[in-house]
Amino acid sequence: MKIKILFLLVFSPMVFAVPPYLGVSVAENLAFNRYSCLSAAKKVLYNEGFKDIETYARIATVFAAYRNTNPYHYKAVVKCLVSSGVIIVTTAAQVSRNARQKAERIRYKILQQRGITRKKPKVPKKPKVQECKIIKKASPKKASPKKELKKLKLFSLSKPKNKTTTNFQDKHHKNFTIGETFTVLCRGACLQQAERSLRNSGFYNDYDFDDDGVFGRNNYNYYASIQCIINESRVIFKVSGQKSKTRDKLLETLYKKF
């Protein structure tokens, strides 16, 4: 095993690498335009001691050389990729470590200049969720006759023209009564109120529900349902059973308990 490692080290291409060495440093997720990037690169290179600075605006590139002895001690290329928000700094030096450090230093200095900023990460927008108004059951208070009468104007008792329906309670009785009222509740809150109304009115047998309503039966074989038609801001109450007067009373009870 040691012989294999020694063989790889001796015959590796890196062993025969000769100067100049290249150092590359890349900055990503940036926001800048061509002018601001080229200006920042020229300013930083000048401050770092590079004298022969050439700018090629068409390809958004700056070339520079630094000479403290003959030949050049450092050479540098700064490439501005505007559409990608990337700045690439490449340097050449006689010492590998110096090339890498110089590239990192130039990149760091460029990012400190005006007109070069970090892009803010895009945060996905949260889907709009319909606000749900949860109604807390308040302690019962005696309502004045005027308020009760006004309240009942929104709630009308009527018999449908077509008695053919497939709802839960109508499978058991052909005679039913329907009431309707306006609501500002969302679906979840409306169904929560509907379930509470149904159970508090005695319809806790054979309890069932679907996406828009709840159903149940009381001990006297009267069936009731409350449906939330949210897209029309309506709540529909329905009671089926033998006696019309009993249906009307139960329907009013469901409404008051809602």
Side-chain angles (χ1 to χ4, degrees):
M1 184 68 181
K2 291 182 179 180
I3 296 175
K4 289 184 179 180
I5 295 174
L6 181 60
F7 178 83
L8 290 173
L9 289 174
V10 171
F11 292 98
S12 171
M14 294 180 63
V15 175
F16 301 100
V18 295
Y21 297 97
L22 296 180
V24 180
S25 182
V26 180
E28 301 177 297
N29 297 321
L30 303 176
F32 56 85
N33 56 45
R34 183 180 301 182
Y35 174 79
S36 64
C37 182
L38 294 177
S39 298
K42 287 171 61 178
K43 182 178 180 180
V44 170
L45 290 170
Y46 180 81
N47 292 339
E48 288 293 311
F50 289 83
K51 299 300 181 183
D52 299 330
I53 302 174
E54 297 290 339
T55 303
Y56 296 85
R58 290 185 61 185
I59 57 175
T61 305
V62 178
F63 294 89
Y66 174 88
R67 187 206 308 263
N68 63 353
T69 59
N70 195 12
Y72 287 102
H73 192 59
Y74 288 110
K75 290 183 180 180
V77 179
V78 179
K79 179 68 176 178
C80 303
L81 302 177
V82 180
S83 59
S84 303
V86 175
I87 296 177
I88 303 173
V89 180
T90 305
T91 59
Q94 297 297 316
V95 180
S96 176
R97 182 179 62 181
N98 292 348
R100 185 176 64 255
Q101 290 178 346
K102 181 61 75 172
E104 291 288 340
R105 179 178 174 84
I106 293 173
R107 177 192 59 80
Y108 175 78
K109 291 288 186 180
I110 290 175
L111 296 184
Q112 308 306 311
Q113 302 302 309
R114 290 184 59 183
I116 311 294
T117 58
R118 290 281 184 185
K119 287 182 180 179
K120 294 181 179 179
K122 292 184 179 180
V123 179
K125 293 182 179 180
K126 294 182 179 180
K128 292 184 179 180
V129 180
Q130 183 183 10
E131 292 185 2
C132 203
K133 298 181 180 179
I134 304 298
I135 304 299
K136 293 182 179 180
K137 204 69 175 178
S139 55
K141 295 182 180 179
K142 292 183 179 180
S144 61
K146 289 184 178 179
K147 287 184 179 179
E148 189 68 24
L149 184 62
K150 185 177 180 181
K151 192 174 182 181
L152 288 175
K153 284 181 180 179
L154 295 173
F155 185 77
S156 58
L157 299 178
S158 61
K159 293 182 180 180
K161 294 179 182 179
N162 185 4
K163 293 184 180 180
T164 304
T165 178
T166 57
N167 281 348
F168 172 78
Q169 70 275 15
D170 302 331
K171 294 178 181 178
H172 305 274
H173 291 283
K174 293 183 178 180
N175 301 321
F176 55 89
T177 308
I178 297 177
E180 178 182 353
T181 189
F182 173 80
T183 185
V184 295
L185 298 176
C186 68
R187 187 184 305 276
C190 182
L191 291 174
Q192 178 184 349
Q193 292 292 99
E195 179 184 3
R196 181 184 299 162
S197 171
L198 211 66
R199 293 186 183 278
N200 291 343
S201 301
F203 294 92
Y204 42 77
N205 299 316
D206 298 335
Y207 179 80
D208 200 0
F209 63 91
D210 60 18
D211 291 342
D212 298 313
V214 293
F215 316 91
R217 175 180 62 85
N218 67 8
N219 292 332
Y220 302 98
N221 286 330
Y222 280 81
Y223 293 83
S225 72
I226 302 176
Q227 289 182 296
C228 299
I229 314 299
I230 300 303
N231 58 344
E232 298 178 8
S233 300
R234 293 192 303 148
V235 181
I236 298 176
F237 303 82
K238 188 181 292 186
V239 176
S240 64
Q242 292 295 333
K243 296 182 179 179
S244 175
K245 289 184 179 181
T246 304
R247 293 198 308 267
D248 292 349
K249 288 181 180 179
L250 292 173
L251 195 68
E252 189 171 352
T253 302
L254 284 174
Y255 169 71
K256 290 180 178 179
K257 298 285 186 182
F258 184 77

